[in-house]
Amino acid sequence: MTAEQIAENFESVRNQIKEAEKKSGRKEGCVKLCAVSKFHPAEDVLAALKTGQTLFGENRVQESFAKFTQINSVSKIKPDLHIIGSLQTNKVKKAVKIASCIQSVDREELLAEIEKQCAKIEKKIEVLFEIHTGEDSKSGYKEKSVLLKSVENCANGIYPHIVPKGLMTMAPFTQDEKLIHASFSKLRNLKDELNKSFPSLEINELSMGMSGDYKIAIEEGSTLVRIGTALFGERDYS
Ligand SMILES: *Cc1c(COP(=O)(O)O)cnc(C)c1O
């Protein structure tokens, strides 16, 4: 895709986010855009940076480490990277070096490793807890009691280098909008519940909504949409 096409896509998606905010009676600018650049080359990220986009999402650490190291070396404007894909423990060391937020924390073991690696480089990192809310996705916390234990450990100061900011989910891939609404409203309700139970934490971010369902997500209270295809085109997995 050319830089011009990418710029057009960003303008169009930003306008649609604005419209969805308005339609849902939400404040203009309350939904942030995370541009998912996985499987797209560094040039595409540079084209997006030129449009004023600074927040990017990647799901594979190895691939994004090389890509974003390159981007950082050539671009004056520095991108802000979130890891959004399931993260193996042995990739955490690299992940915390390049990312400002891990959106896909789905187990206690991962929190412990993030803490360990961040402590080594004296870096604080933000995290979102990924929640399993729909049938299709395999990732995310499934047992509420297990999630509560992780959040409680954060609230108790066991992980001083970790700043929990909110929740993330993927809705089921379906045409049935009711199921998509249900998935997103489940995440919103869980956030409200965590805020009551853990007032010392600020669990406010709701990372939900992708190319196919971000308008529904905005209706349901999303504060951060993760959009790839609508911005950069189809991914070439070959
Ligand atoms: C790939 C991916 C996205 C973006 O999906 P699109 O449908 O291309 O917008 C969002 N979130 C996660 C976790 C992803 O892996």
Side-chain angles (χ1 to χ4, degrees):
M1 199 167 272
T2 67
E4 287 75 25
Q5 280 171 313
I6 290 173
E8 272 172 33
N9 290 344
F10 270 86
E11 191 184 344
S12 158
V13 167
R14 285 187 188 120
N15 283 333
Q16 289 178 69
I17 291 173
K18 218 181 274 180
E19 243 169 69
E21 287 170 339
K22 204 188 250 173
K23 207 171 137 211
S24 315
R26 301 186 54 202
K27 219 173 104 201
E28 189 178 322
C30 67
V31 180
K32 295 180 290 285
L33 171 61
C34 176
V36 179
S37 48
K38 66 187 188 199
F39 292 96
H40 292 287
E43 302 91 79
D44 290 9
V45 175
L46 292 167
L49 279 165
K50 285 216 179 78
T51 75
Q53 182 68 30
T54 51
L55 177 58
F56 295 88
E58 287 274 343
N59 66 342
R60 298 201 302 190
V61 175
Q62 210 70 12
E63 179 198 338
S64 52
F65 192 88
K67 197 194 295 185
F68 279 77
T69 303
Q70 187 196 340
I71 291 159
N72 273 310
S73 73
V74 299
S75 175
K76 259 189 277 180
I77 313 157
K78 300 302 174 208
D80 183 14
L81 181 65
H82 286 189
I83 296 295
I84 61 171
S86 56
L87 183 56
Q88 289 169 270
T89 311
N90 62 5
K91 303 274 167 62
V92 169
K93 184 177 178 179
K94 254 188 171 166
V96 302
K97 271 192 197 145
I98 46 165
S100 65
C101 177
I102 311 282
Q103 291 199 14
S104 41
V105 168
D106 59 359
R107 59 197 191 277
E108 188 68 32
E109 181 201 18
L110 195 53
L111 281 171
E113 184 64 17
I114 292 171
E115 172 60 31
K116 182 175 150 195
Q117 298 300 339
C118 281
K120 275 193 202 162
I121 58 171
E122 295 181 41
K123 171 176 177 167
K124 275 204 175 189
I125 198 159
E126 297 181 346
V127 302
L128 304 182
F129 298 101
E130 182 176 357
I131 311 297
H132 184 262
T133 60
E135 281 317 305
D136 295 344
S137 161
K138 285 182 282 294
S139 48
Y141 280 92
K142 291 183 186 70
E143 296 290 330
K144 193 157 163 193
S145 58
V146 180
L147 168 74
L148 289 177
K149 187 69 201 153
S150 285
V151 182
E152 191 186 342
N153 284 340
C154 289
N156 287 340
I158 292 182
Y159 305 121
H161 294 84
I162 294 177
V163 186
K165 295 293 271 189
L167 306 177
M168 186 268 254
T169 201
M170 278 201 266
F173 303 104
T174 169
Q175 296 298 315
D176 187 345
E177 294 201 352
K178 262 197 243 135
L179 291 176
I180 301 173
H181 274 282
S183 168
F184 291 150
S185 70
K186 193 167 166 188
L187 198 73
R188 187 189 60 240
N189 292 330
L190 184 58
K191 180 204 73 164
D192 292 342
E193 200 180 314
L194 292 175
N195 273 320
K196 284 203 192 92
S197 308
F198 303 99
S200 68
L201 299 176
E202 289 182 26
I203 309 275
N204 295 318
E205 202 83 271
L206 282 178
S207 173
M208 54 191 201
M210 307 177 22
S211 292
D213 56 20
Y214 69 92
K215 289 172 194 167
I216 298 176
I218 291 171
E219 271 181 64
E220 293 291 349
S222 170
T223 62
L224 182 59
V225 290
R226 307 178 309 270
I227 300 183
T229 310
L231 296 169
F232 297 109
E234 297 291 335
R235 287 177 287 271
D236 182 3
Y237 294 107
S238 62

